[in-house]
Amino acid sequence: MRKTRPLPGSLIQRYHGWKATTFAENAAWYRRLGTEGQRPRVMVISCCDSRVHVTSIFGAEQGEFFIHRNIANLVPPYEPDGLRHGTSAAIEYAVTSLKVAQIIILGHSQCGGVQGCEAMCSGHAPELEDPASFVGRWMDLLRPGWEEVRGIADERERLEALEKRAVLTSIDNLMTFPFVAAAVDRGDLALHGLWNDIVEGTLEYYDAATDRFISI
Amino acid sequence: MRKTRPLPGSLIQRYHGWKATTFAENAAWYRRLGTEGQRPRVMVISCCDSRVHVTSIFGAEQGEFFIHRNIANLVPPYEPDGLRHGTSAAIEYAVTSLKVAQIIILGHSQCGGVQGCEAMCSGHAPELEDPASFVGRWMDLLRPGWEEVRGIADERERLEALEKRAVLTSIDNLMTFPFVAAAVDRGDLALHGLWNDIVEGTLEYYDAATDRFISI
Amino acid sequence: MRKTRPLPGSLIQRYHGWKATTFAENAAWYRRLGTEGQRPRVMVISCCDSRVHVTSIFGAEQGEFFIHRNIANLVPPYEPDGLRHGTSAAIEYAVTSLKVAQIIILGHSQCGGVQGCEAMCSGHAPELEDPASFVGRWMDLLRPGWEEVRGIADERERLEALEKRAVLTSIDNLMTFPFVAAAVDRGDLALHGLWNDIVEGTLEYYDAATDRFISI
Amino acid sequence: MRKTRPLPGSLIQRYHGWKATTFAENAAWYRRLGTEGQRPRVMVISCCDSRVHVTSIFGAEQGEFFIHRNIANLVPPYEPDGLRHGTSAAIEYAVTSLKVAQIIILGHSQCGGVQGCEAMCSGHAPELEDPASFVGRWMDLLRPGWEEVRGIADERERLEALEKRAVLTSIDNLMTFPFVAAAVDRGDLALHGLWNDIVEGTLEYYDAATDRFISI
């Protein structure tokens, strides 16, 4: 027998609250989304962090955003090696099947995954170097980024720079996917890099012309 | 120069709306979450599908749910092979660092990933058999599940059964992670399997005693 | 020997029901709350009245609300005179130790304490004027509020206005606590005044801009 | 203009959930409670702590429990000195106006107020000795209790003993109120002392015959 448990009563009560309000108010639209299929305009790749406001920050309606969330909003490079790549599968589905018009990489401040990367690369977290550490192996994606920011003396500034490196690493790796690069070149797909300060609520976007993040 | 684009004005306008309302109303709490760190009670693993209501369906506040979203809410088995496993990294971080008390696998109806799996396994989508198909290789996780439901004649029933198999596959694979199994056995972690009908707004939970999904 | 009595069997039976269901479902989370300490987002100050739904009305989980309940949800002014002030102790603990992000004053209709205040101030309850009347001395806090509403002819309207005065008296007295005023000015603490009609289930909030209570 | 803020949207949504479910299901009963007045059987005096389950632990319906919550569930002695005594006002109203049949003092484990008292009495929290410390002056009520347990070497045992002393202090002080003692002597009012382990979910009651707390 599987060791699952019943859902706590508080979540059941809250679900019924949603059913009676938000769902009831939108039932016709949700039914259409369900029967006609989704047609999201945007794919968002963000962190799993519970403090990241993926839909709320853009007032997104159901059906608007196709959302992949992983540790530190990282995209790996294109590796068609016949192995499992969950993030790449989400990107492939979004671009080739759903044909989204935009992909937003949404990074954020106080990112625990990025802090783990910093600790690992600077030799303060040997447990993350263990081949069996899933977090460590995932954060290997950001090692080249760490090399670029390691010289920043102030820890807070260094971590923020590394969080922004994570966004740019994902942008760069996205362009290694042939179907992404082709859609971008055709003008069918726009890529956006964002960084959200979760304490101040500010949002910065990556400006390619100046190679900087700029406040919105 | 990177081929990113400025964020469309409509999203910028919506961000400012969030900043002036939801963020302003919650600024003190968000600041505390940011400076003291997150302490989410629950990890939710759901699909990327834009029609899935992860936070709204439970009226979740920021800070409550640590959310991983991938195609078809699938968890792979434990494979500490030194390679990248994004989903496993998210689970490792949630269970060993954040020590969440619950993991909810939230499946849903009309799942495109599950439909792709059905098409691939029944021979109607040879392109997904291509080793270079990320979606195909990801959905391989559900092949054993498909074997169990392939005999169901009605297509709609078969797909719903397969969507629920995806939830149970994830539950079963979760238990192959030693740190998950240990936390479940200690009573520190509860696993929940849910399936949401996005058209009707109904929610079913997996009941281990009867091995069935039951309406809430 | 103390004159306490064993708990009635019905309450014991109900406790076991809670233990077997709600507690069992949430055991992991309650254990974490117990060992790591509480981190409530909100302090609620409400009336002791058995008909006020402090947690239920907001679907609050254990751990979310730090709750002080007294007669008529009144906050006294700041008086650091070395004497005992139970309400002030609760506020001091919530703001300076727990650093809650919000304080909600939750008033309600049909409030017996407010009715007592009206009777006392209008000369119909001389027993409440007795220096030994704890209820009378407590409701003295609302005498200035009564002066502001005494001219309202309709009794029901007058009582509702006085219930809302109780909420505003508490808000105003809260701001006399230096640590409250400082946290509000820093943006670390938000104050909210609410009034709940317990018969109709409606909820009104105090809108500072218009100086009125407005339906939610 | 008062510095209040609008209620966060998440709480508004959750309120509407309550309105549409719990309130709607109980509207007739709530209306009767509202128009006929409350008639609670029990007064509960518990701590403000967000982890204490006052109504849930006994599956209490609205209208059953008249609830006073303060720091460390303390009752001061009877002092009819014409000054404000919020806890005494709540007790007076419950016993003389509402004529409750039981008063439950509900203590609990991991009590921050009790920990503060221990720190203050043992000389580790001089700031609580400040006359202007509301928490300190409130916890003075438990100084005699601390003298009785200070010899217990193990800190955890000592704190638990002090938490139980807080319950007994409240029971003893309750009996100094003439109207409480008279109701108890007439058999109209029963007093109960309880202590809840919030980590384990266990409940103990004070047994006067053996002068011990015994598991339920």
Side-chain angles (χ1 to χ4, degrees):
Chain A
M1 197 172 102
R2 289 185 178 91
K3 292 183 178 177
T4 56
R5 298 287 294 275
L7 205 61
S10 56
L11 288 183
I12 293 175
Q13 175 182 324
R14 287 180 181 198
Y15 156 69
H16 285 299
W18 170 82
K19 187 78 167 13
T21 56
T22 302
F23 179 79
E25 290 158 16
N26 296 282
W29 176 243
Y30 290 174
R31 186 167 301 123
R32 250 192 91 187
L33 283 177
T35 52
E36 296 185 4
Q38 61 178 326
R39 200 170 65 172
R41 170 190 177 119
V42 178
M43 177 184 199
V44 178
I45 298 177
S46 83
C47 187
C48 302
D49 194 300
S50 64
R51 301 165 298 179
V52 173
H53 319 256
V54 183
T55 49
S56 172
I57 202 171
F58 293 117
E61 311 280 350
Q62 300 309 133
E64 282 196 303
F65 287 3
F66 183 81
I67 302 168
H68 172 62
R69 298 181 70 162
N70 64 33
I71 300 285
N73 37 271
L74 286 168
V75 172
Y78 179 67
E79 292 174 329
D81 52 13
L83 300 177
R84 264 198 315 273
H85 296 278
T87 298
S88 304
I91 295 165
E92 179 184 287
Y93 191 78
V95 175
T96 66
S97 291
L98 297 174
K99 298 183 172 32
V100 296
Q102 301 167 245
I103 298 181
I104 293 173
I105 308 290
L106 177 59
H108 71 103
S109 66
Q110 274 82 15
C111 181
V114 165
Q115 287 163 14
C117 178
E118 151 80 12
M120 176 176 72
C121 295
S122 61
H124 295 97
E127 72 280 8
L128 291 175
E129 300 282 9
D130 185 331
S133 166
F134 295 116
V135 171
R137 299 300 60 69
W138 182 250
M139 294 311 303
D140 283 344
L141 283 167
L142 193 52
R143 277 186 192 272
W146 183 79
E147 291 295 335
E148 295 185 70
V149 305
R150 61 183 298 183
I152 301 175
D154 181 76
E155 192 194 19
R156 199 184 164 122
E157 282 179 31
R158 191 169 63 249
L159 285 172
E160 183 177 318
L162 192 51
E163 287 156 0
K164 290 173 176 175
R165 274 287 131 197
V167 173
L168 297 182
T169 296
S170 292
I171 295 280
D172 292 342
N173 285 343
L174 267 177
M175 288 297 285
T176 66
F177 288 72
F179 48 85
V180 170
V184 168
D185 289 341
R186 278 197 311 273
D188 288 343
L189 176 64
L191 306 184
H192 311 280
L194 298 179
W195 177 84
N196 173 218
D197 184 320
I198 61 174
V199 172
E200 301 301 330
T202 50
L203 191 64
E204 301 182 11
Y205 76 97
Y206 175 72
D207 178 58
T210 61
D211 193 27
R212 301 176 70 105
F213 280 78
I214 297 178
S215 277
I216 284 177
Chain B
M1 198 173 98
R2 289 187 178 91
K3 293 185 178 174
T4 56
R5 300 276 295 276
L7 206 59
S10 58
L11 289 183
I12 292 175
Q13 177 179 324
R14 282 154 75 157
Y15 157 69
H16 284 299
W18 171 82
K19 188 77 170 10
T21 57
T22 300
F23 179 79
E25 291 161 14
N26 295 282
W29 180 243
Y30 291 174
R31 186 170 303 126
R32 258 195 86 188
L33 283 177
T35 53
E36 296 187 4
Q38 61 177 330
R39 194 169 70 170
R41 170 188 177 133
V42 177
M43 178 186 199
V44 179
I45 298 175
S46 82
C47 187
C48 302
D49 193 300
S50 64
R51 300 165 300 178
V52 173
H53 320 258
V54 182
T55 49
S56 170
I57 200 170
F58 292 119
E61 310 278 353
Q62 298 311 130
E64 281 196 303
F65 288 4
F66 183 81
I67 303 169
H68 173 61
R69 299 181 68 161
N70 64 33
I71 299 286
N73 37 271
L74 285 169
V75 172
Y78 179 67
E79 291 174 330
D81 52 14
L83 300 178
R84 267 199 314 273
H85 295 279
T87 297
S88 303
I91 294 165
E92 180 184 285
Y93 191 76
V95 175
T96 68
S97 290
L98 297 175
K99 296 185 175 33
V100 296
Q102 300 167 247
I103 297 179
I104 293 174
I105 307 291
L106 177 58
H108 71 103
S109 65
Q110 273 85 14
C111 180
V114 165
Q115 287 163 14
C117 178
E118 152 79 12
M120 174 176 73
C121 294
S122 61
H124 295 95
E127 72 283 8
L128 291 174
E129 300 281 10
D130 184 330
S133 164
F134 296 116
V135 172
R137 301 298 60 69
W138 181 252
M139 295 310 303
D140 282 344
L141 283 167
L142 194 51
R143 279 187 192 269
W146 183 79
E147 291 296 333
E148 295 185 70
V149 307
R150 63 185 294 184
I152 300 174
D154 181 78
E155 190 196 19
R156 197 184 167 123
E157 282 179 30
R158 190 168 64 249
L159 285 171
E160 182 178 320
L162 192 52
E163 286 157 359
K164 290 174 177 173
R165 274 287 129 199
V167 173
L168 296 182
T169 295
S170 292
I171 295 280
D172 291 343
N173 285 343
L174 268 176
M175 288 297 285
T176 65
F177 288 73
F179 48 83
V180 170
V184 168
D185 288 340
R186 280 196 311 270
D188 288 344
L189 177 64
L191 307 182
H192 310 279
L194 297 179
W195 178 84
N196 173 219
D197 183 320
I198 61 174
V199 172
E200 301 300 330
T202 51
L203 190 64
E204 301 184 10
Y205 76 98
Y206 174 71
D207 179 58
T210 60
D211 193 26
R212 300 176 72 105
F213 281 78
I214 296 177
S215 278
I216 284 176
Chain C
M1 199 171 98
R2 288 187 178 90
K3 292 184 177 175
T4 56
R5 300 276 296 276
L7 208 60
S10 58
L11 289 182
I12 293 175
Q13 177 180 322
R14 283 154 75 157
Y15 157 70
H16 284 298
W18 171 81
K19 188 77 170 10
T21 55
T22 301
F23 179 79
E25 290 160 15
N26 294 283
W29 180 243
Y30 290 174
R31 186 170 302 126
R32 258 194 87 188
L33 283 178
T35 53
E36 296 188 3
Q38 60 178 328
R39 193 169 70 169
R41 169 188 177 134
V42 178
M43 178 187 199
V44 179
I45 298 177
S46 83
C47 187
C48 302
D49 194 299
S50 65
R51 300 163 298 179
V52 172
H53 319 257
V54 182
T55 49
S56 171
I57 201 171
F58 292 119
E61 310 278 352
Q62 299 311 131
E64 281 196 302
F65 288 3
F66 183 80
I67 302 169
H68 173 61
R69 299 181 69 161
N70 63 33
I71 299 287
N73 38 271
L74 285 169
V75 173
Y78 179 66
E79 292 174 329
D81 53 14
L83 300 178
R84 268 199 312 274
H85 296 278
T87 297
S88 303
I91 293 165
E92 180 183 286
Y93 191 77
V95 175
T96 67
S97 291
L98 298 174
K99 296 184 175 35
V100 296
Q102 302 168 246
I103 298 180
I104 294 173
I105 308 289
L106 177 58
H108 70 103
S109 66
Q110 274 83 16
C111 180
V114 166
Q115 287 163 14
C117 179
E118 151 80 12
M120 176 175 72
C121 294
S122 61
H124 296 94
E127 71 282 9
L128 291 174
E129 299 282 8
D130 185 331
S133 166
F134 296 115
V135 172
R137 300 299 60 71
W138 182 251
M139 294 311 303
D140 283 345
L141 283 167
L142 194 51
R143 277 186 193 270
W146 184 78
E147 292 295 335
E148 295 185 71
V149 306
R150 62 184 296 184
I152 300 175
D154 182 77
E155 190 194 20
R156 198 185 167 122
E157 281 178 33
R158 191 169 61 248
L159 285 171
E160 183 177 319
L162 192 51
E163 287 157 359
K164 290 173 177 174
R165 274 286 131 198
V167 173
L168 297 182
T169 296
S170 292
I171 295 281
D172 291 341
N173 285 342
L174 268 175
M175 288 297 284
T176 66
F177 287 73
F179 48 83
V180 171
V184 168
D185 288 340
R186 279 195 312 272
D188 288 343
L189 176 65
L191 307 183
H192 310 280
L194 298 179
W195 177 83
N196 173 220
D197 183 320
I198 61 174
V199 172
E200 301 301 330
T202 51
L203 190 64
E204 302 183 11
Y205 77 97
Y206 174 71
D207 178 56
T210 59
D211 193 28
R212 299 176 73 104
F213 280 79
I214 297 177
S215 277
I216 285 176
Chain D
M1 199 172 99
R2 290 187 178 90
K3 292 184 176 175
T4 56
R5 298 284 296 273
L7 205 60
S10 57
L11 289 182
I12 293 174
Q13 177 180 322
R14 287 181 180 196
Y15 155 70
H16 285 300
W18 170 82
K19 186 79 169 11
T21 56
T22 302
F23 179 79
E25 290 159 16
N26 295 282
W29 176 242
Y30 290 175
R31 188 167 300 124
R32 249 193 90 187
L33 283 177
T35 52
E36 297 185 4
Q38 62 177 328
R39 200 169 66 173
R41 171 191 176 119
V42 178
M43 177 184 199
V44 179
I45 298 175
S46 83
C47 187
C48 302
D49 193 300
S50 66
R51 301 163 299 178
V52 173
H53 319 257
V54 182
T55 50
S56 172
I57 201 172
F58 293 118
E61 310 281 352
Q62 300 309 133
E64 282 197 302
F65 287 4
F66 183 81
I67 302 169
H68 173 61
R69 299 181 70 161
N70 63 34
I71 300 285
N73 37 271
L74 286 169
V75 173
Y78 179 68
E79 291 175 328
D81 52 13
L83 301 177
R84 268 199 312 274
H85 295 279
T87 298
S88 303
I91 294 165
E92 179 184 286
Y93 191 76
V95 175
T96 67
S97 290
L98 298 174
K99 298 185 172 29
V100 296
Q102 301 167 245
I103 298 179
I104 293 173
I105 307 292
L106 177 59
H108 71 103
S109 66
Q110 274 82 16
C111 180
V114 165
Q115 288 163 13
C117 180
E118 152 80 12
M120 176 176 70
C121 295
S122 62
H124 295 96
E127 71 282 7
L128 290 175
E129 300 281 8
D130 185 330
S133 166
F134 295 116
V135 171
R137 300 300 60 72
W138 182 250
M139 295 311 301
D140 283 343
L141 284 167
L142 194 52
R143 278 187 193 269
W146 182 78
E147 291 295 335
E148 295 185 71
V149 306
R150 60 183 297 184
I152 301 174
D154 183 77
E155 190 195 19
R156 198 184 165 122
E157 283 178 31
R158 191 169 62 250
L159 285 171
E160 182 177 322
L162 192 51
E163 288 157 359
K164 290 173 176 173
R165 273 288 129 196
V167 173
L168 297 182
T169 295
S170 292
I171 296 280
D172 292 344
N173 285 343
L174 268 177
M175 288 298 284
T176 65
F177 287 73
F179 49 83
V180 170
V184 168
D185 289 340
R186 279 195 313 270
D188 288 344
L189 177 64
L191 307 183
H192 310 280
L194 298 178
W195 178 83
N196 173 219
D197 185 321
I198 61 173
V199 172
E200 301 301 330
T202 51
L203 191 63
E204 302 184 11
Y205 76 97
Y206 174 71
D207 179 57
T210 60
D211 193 27
R212 300 176 72 102
F213 280 79
I214 297 177
S215 278
I216 285 176

